[in-house]
Structure formats: C-alpha cells, structure tokens
Amino acid sequence: LDSLPFPAYHKIDFEDYGRMGFVPVSRGCGFACSFCSASDFWGGKKVERSVKNIIQELCLIESNLERFFLAYYSQNCDKSIHRFCSEMKKERIDVPWESRGTIGPLSSDFLETVTTASCWKLHYFVVSGSNRVLNKVGTPFAVEEAVNVVRKSSASIEEIEVSLVWGFPFATIEDFYETVLCSTTLMSMSNVEVSMTLLSPIPSSRMYREYCDSLRFDRNFISKLTYPLGGVISNYQELIGLVQSY
C-alpha cells in the first residue's frame, strides 16, 4: 500500500468537507463475520500501510484539517497504533482524530497512549447484545467483554460511539430484547452514543448467500427504533411495552 500515490490534495478544498480528513490505514479484515463482505472480498487477507507512510500523508495535509478519521482496524493492543501515536507526537501533529476500536484486550497503556496523541473519539462495532447472535455471525467476543471495553474506554476518551444491528434473519425476539437492553446499558455511560440499525444484507456476504432465497424487502417498513433510542429501559416488560407502542 505504501507504493500507492497520495490523493491529489492540491485539487481539494477542505472547507467543502468541514476541514475533515479521512486517512485509510489498511485493506481487508482479520475477522470473518458472516454479515460482512470485507473478508471474502479481500480473500481473507489484511494488509496495512506503514506508520511512516501514514505520517507522511498527515504532514502533507495537517494544516488543512480540524480533525481526521483514521480508518484503523487492528487490535487495540497492536504495536503499530502505539508507533503511530509516538510518531504523531514526534512530528508535533496536534490535530484531533477519531478511529475504530476493536473489542478485545485493552493493553494497560493503550488508552493513555491514544489520548495523549490527540485521539478524542473511538467507534466500537459491538454488533449485538445477544451472545447467541454474536456466536452465530462469528464475532470473536462476548457481550460482557464488549460492555467492559466500552466502559473502560469511556473513562478516558472524550466520546465513544457504539454500533448495534438488529434484524438478523435467524434472530428471535429475545435476541432483539437483549440487544436493546444492551444499548440502554451502554447509553447509561455519559459520553457513549449508540446507533441501532436494521441489518441490510450485503450481496457478497456469506449471510446473504445463505438466506437470499428467503429475504424480502418491505418498502412500507420504516424503523422507529433507530438512533438515538433515548431513555433507559430496565426490564423486559418495559421493552415489550415500547415495542408494542410502535
């Protein structure tokens, strides 16, 4: 990836994009979630740019940016993110940035490392509040671990965004209840935002191939349980009442 030229930034007016930058770091994904096509599309492989190459691009555009999104897919304890933060400080790049975090072990100094390097927001894709669903789609973590990672991160990072999905073709109403209850647990943390979106099967994903003959789209259906949910639901009965009201 380091051999690819940087975009023609001299032809871009960053004001048109709110002075926001997007810096890709890798291609492919180390996971193989059945609802996602990334692993299959890239042949199950993942390649990353070098930290040096990423920093060179940032040095080229930092004066035009108020913030940037670092499209990073590695584990939170991966050494490359530590090297990236170290180089950010070395080059005195003081532009606030956000990135994707991975549900997994948090190294003891990860959160301190990224916050001191101007990281202000992390995005976590928790997928579901049901361990049965997580196991079915192939995510390598449990709900309890995900909640713990978000809680630890929220104590250090200015803002956390969590994504949840509902509407898996094999999911039960109990799975849905567990996902909404998980969202309320996460939203009880003061600086955590939760988005809960309806599954849209990607045609090249394994899940689509498995269920394509039974999937149907109802154009009259519009979800009223889309982000933000708001409020805190403490038990199933409250949740059932909420669902019935819609």
Side-chain angles (χ1 to χ4, degrees):
L1 294 182
D2 285 6
S3 65
L4 298 176
F6 296 144
Y9 286 121
H10 62 284
K11 295 186 176 182
I12 296 176
D13 185 350
F14 282 89
E15 293 291 344
D16 293 340
Y17 302 93
R19 297 177 66 83
M20 173 72 173
F22 181 87
V23 181
V25 174
S26 60
R27 287 182 178 176
C29 181
F31 303 123
C33 302
S34 63
F35 59 86
C36 180
S37 63
S39 181
D40 286 350
F41 185 85
W42 295 106
K45 298 178 181 180
K46 176 188 171 187
V47 293
E48 292 186 1
R49 299 168 61 186
S50 68
V51 170
K52 179 181 178 181
N53 186 253
I54 298 168
I55 294 296
Q56 286 176 340
E57 181 173 359
L58 284 172
C59 288
L60 184 65
I61 61 176
E62 65 167 317
S63 62
N64 297 302
L65 302 178
E66 289 186 358
R67 55 199 174 96
F68 68 92
F69 186 91
L70 186 70
Y72 194 80
Y73 292 91
S74 291
Q75 295 286 352
N76 296 333
C77 56
D78 195 291
K79 292 181 179 179
S80 63
I81 192 67
H82 290 268
R83 291 197 300 270
F84 170 77
C85 292
S86 177
E87 290 299 313
M88 283 273 290
K89 297 174 187 176
K90 181 179 177 180
E91 296 294 332
R92 297 182 179 180
I93 301 174
D94 190 24
V95 180
W97 55 281
E98 56 190 279
S99 186
R100 292 182 177 91
T102 303
I103 302 299
L106 284 174
S107 61
S108 58
D109 60 345
F110 168 76
L111 294 173
E112 180 181 358
T113 297
V114 297
T115 52
T116 57
S118 302
C119 177
W120 74 281
K121 184 175 185 178
L122 286 177
H123 301 251
Y124 287 110
F125 191 26
V126 174
V127 183
S128 175
S130 164
N131 281 322
R132 191 185 78 87
V133 170
L134 293 181
N135 183 64
K136 183 84 172 176
V137 301
T139 54
F141 55 82
V143 174
E144 296 75 15
E145 181 182 11
V147 171
N148 186 47
V149 167
V150 172
R151 181 175 288 110
K152 286 183 177 180
S153 299
S154 68
S156 301
I157 305 296
E158 182 179 341
E159 188 173 316
I160 305 293
E161 183 173 309
V162 176
S163 296
L164 292 168
V165 178
W166 66 285
F168 290 98
F170 51 79
T172 64
I173 191 64
E174 287 76 19
D175 295 322
F176 175 71
Y177 291 163
E178 289 179 4
T179 298
V180 177
L181 288 173
C182 175
S183 74
T184 64
T185 297
L186 295 169
M187 285 189 295
S188 68
M189 306 172 198
S190 60
N191 57 337
V192 176
E193 294 183 357
V194 178
S195 62
M196 189 169 166
T197 56
L198 178 64
L199 174 73
S200 297
I202 301 173
S204 56
S205 67
R206 286 185 290 115
M207 184 174 293
Y208 180 86
R209 293 195 295 270
E210 182 177 354
Y211 292 97
C212 61
D213 292 335
S214 58
L215 292 172
R216 297 292 183 271
F217 175 71
D218 183 350
R219 65 181 181 180
N220 296 315
F221 180 77
I222 299 176
S223 169
K224 293 186 178 180
L225 289 178
T226 302
Y227 161 89
L229 292 175
V232 175
I233 301 171
S234 59
N235 58 62
Y236 272 19
Q237 197 56 47
E238 286 185 54
L239 180 56
I240 291 171
L242 173 65
V243 173
Q244 289 177 338
S245 70
Y246 287 102

